[in-house]
Amino acid sequence: NLAYPGCKALDPSLVGDGECNEENNNEQCGKDGGDCCEVRSSEFWGDSVCHGGFFNGWACKNDNGDCVNFQGAYPECNHKFNATNRKGKPVILGDNECEFIPEYMNDECGWEFGDCQSFKSEYKLFQEKYPGCDPRLAFNETGSLKIDDDTCNPELLSLECEYDGYDCCSNKSLHGNNECDEINLNAECGWDNLECCFNPLPIEWVNDGFCDQDLYNKMCAWDGNDCTADYVDQYPECDFTLLNLYYFGNGQCDSIFNNTECSYDKGDCDVIGIDNVVANYTFYPFRDSYYSETIMRVDWSDDIIIFAGACDDDPTCKGFNSAGWLKDTIKSQSDWYEWGGANEGLYMKTIYEDLYT
């Protein structure tokens, strides 16, 4: 095949015959002469308008010839990605609309073929101040930065985007006052700018690229994004906010994680259900409601089932702990304290769960 002299196709006539032949789907054969182009069947391929991303790759013949001028001007530009505009359509290069696509915001790609030239200075300042924040979300259609513009943009509520400059926070005036304001312990208020993060570990360890299990709590902004890859992404339905990450997959079965969403404590729980699961009660390991009003202590036994039976027999009993103390009052969960070992904690009657959690 004269068009692809390095191609070792067994049947050269198959190269560029309109069908993708996987044996010729390689660089030497030009992705089977363009037949294996990822977007060949798209209505936008070869429609006389230059589209970016996969469309403009060599395998797709520079959008079937539509992007020849672009490729001639910027031969080093990388197009090996899916480039879409704000409406989810293939981005058009050189249409006077800057889409702020990071891969195109550089000299090699002509700042999106000239569309973003006038925003070069703003974009570079943005990169310095908000590294990691997606510019496609941060800039509006006119090229204005949406962060800290006194308008709430929920899509920017992330550490990288500085929680939209706290524009979604109803108590923005408290930001940066060097005091712990529990009312601001939420994403909208940037987890109170870590001013509630009282921890033996250095605050600089938050979002340092390493997951620190003791920093994974709301006071410390869930350790930034450091624990996302190892925990949240792998177990997206597992609720890691209920217990220190240290106990997840630590070799002991912890009932909080003993469910399908958490892969049964990452395999620590061999079977569904363990000894501390009691019908009609919710178990909270390592927790107790301190100074709650107690009815009595069942001191003649250490059997959880007997404790539950004694609580069932008393209509004023709301729950009990593993030490056998029956309780007629339980404080809200925010007032609980850490107590006991892996299979010790607080048992609350399920009917009262919504009142205290």
Side-chain angles (χ1 to χ4, degrees):
N1 192 307
L2 297 179
Y4 306 99
C7 179
K8 298 181 180 180
L10 296 177
D11 186 353
S13 67
L14 296 178
V15 179
D17 67 346
E19 294 185 9
C20 179
N21 301 285
E22 286 299 330
E23 65 271 19
N24 300 328
N25 188 11
N26 52 61
E27 185 173 351
Q28 292 74 22
C29 296
K31 290 278 186 175
D32 197 24
D35 293 340
C36 295
C37 166
E38 294 92 336
V39 296
R40 185 183 180 90
S41 61
S42 171
E43 62 179 301
F44 300 103
W45 187 67
D47 63 352
S48 300
V49 178
C50 178
H51 296 92
F54 292 125
F55 284 86
N56 201 6
W58 59 267
C60 295
K61 301 179 180 179
N62 303 124
D63 200 9
N64 203 24
D66 292 343
C67 295
V68 171
N69 292 338
F70 179 97
Q71 198 60 25
Y74 305 103
E76 301 301 318
C77 185
N78 175 36
H79 303 284
K80 296 180 180 179
F81 65 100
N82 184 30
T84 58
N85 60 21
R86 290 180 174 85
K87 298 179 181 179
K89 300 287 184 65
V91 66
I92 298 175
L93 303 178
D95 64 347
N96 296 317
E97 292 187 18
C98 181
E99 297 292 346
F100 290 94
I101 298 173
E103 292 87 349
Y104 283 149
M105 299 295 283
N106 51 61
D107 293 331
E108 290 76 15
C109 296
W111 296 85
E112 205 180 299
F113 208 8
D115 294 341
C116 303
Q117 283 283 353
S118 60
F119 302 112
K120 288 174 64 174
S121 298
E122 293 90 335
Y123 183 76
K124 290 179 178 180
L125 290 173
F126 164 79
Q127 281 189 309
E128 293 176 3
K129 188 172 183 179
Y130 306 105
C133 183
D134 190 340
R136 291 168 293 189
L137 300 176
F139 288 90
N140 63 22
E141 294 180 358
T142 63
S144 298
L145 186 64
K146 297 191 293 183
I147 299 176
D148 198 16
D149 65 349
D150 294 325
T151 300
C152 177
N153 302 287
E155 68 275 14
L156 296 174
L157 288 176
S158 65
L159 180 63
E160 293 81 3
C161 299
E162 205 171 278
Y163 303 101
D164 193 27
Y166 312 100
D167 286 339
C168 299
C169 181
S170 57
N171 305 289
K172 188 175 180 178
S173 61
L174 299 177
H175 172 70
N177 64 355
N178 295 319
E179 296 181 6
C180 175
D181 303 294
E182 293 189 14
I183 194 173
N184 280 359
L185 283 176
N186 50 65
E188 290 78 5
C189 298
W191 307 104
D192 200 35
N193 200 33
L194 299 177
E195 291 174 354
C196 293
C197 186
F198 307 116
N199 197 290
L201 299 180
I203 197 171
E204 291 78 12
W205 288 13
V206 175
N207 205 44
D208 66 347
F210 181 81
C211 178
D212 302 291
Q213 296 166 329
D214 288 336
L215 292 176
Y216 191 79
N217 54 67
K218 66 180 180 180
M219 283 76 73
C220 299
W222 308 105
D223 200 20
N225 291 320
D226 293 342
C227 300
T228 300
D230 292 337
Y231 295 92
V232 181
D233 286 348
Q234 293 190 41
Y235 307 92
E237 301 301 321
C238 183
D239 190 350
F240 291 110
T241 67
L242 301 176
L243 193 63
N244 191 308
L245 289 180
Y246 165 79
Y247 299 105
F248 181 67
N250 68 336
Q252 295 184 349
C253 179
D254 303 296
S255 65
I256 287 293
F257 299 133
N258 188 21
N259 50 63
T260 56
E261 293 80 5
C262 301
S263 292
Y264 302 106
D265 199 8
K266 199 178 180 180
D268 287 348
C269 302
D270 294 330
V271 294
I272 302 175
I274 53 178
D275 292 341
N276 53 24
V277 175
V278 181
N280 302 319
Y281 286 84
T282 301
F283 177 59
Y284 298 90
F286 306 98
R287 294 289 185 271
D288 197 5
S289 179
Y290 198 44
Y291 290 132
S292 295
E293 294 297 325
T294 55
I295 304 169
M296 59 176 290
R297 181 170 186 264
V298 183
D299 56 3
W300 64 85
S301 174
D302 59 2
D303 190 331
I304 296 297
I305 301 300
I306 291 179
F307 297 162
C311 190
D312 289 339
D313 291 339
D314 191 326
T316 66
C317 182
K318 303 292 192 304
F320 60 92
N321 65 17
S322 300
W325 287 102
L326 308 187
K327 302 169 183 284
D328 61 8
T329 301
I330 294 178
K331 294 186 176 183
S332 63
Q333 190 168 349
S334 60
D335 294 324
W336 295 357
Y337 71 106
E338 291 193 17
W339 173 81
N343 289 313
E344 297 177 313
L346 177 67
Y347 293 79
M348 189 190 326
K349 285 183 176 178
T350 306
I351 60 173
Y352 297 115
E353 189 172 9
D354 292 340
L355 298 177
Y356 302 104
T357 58

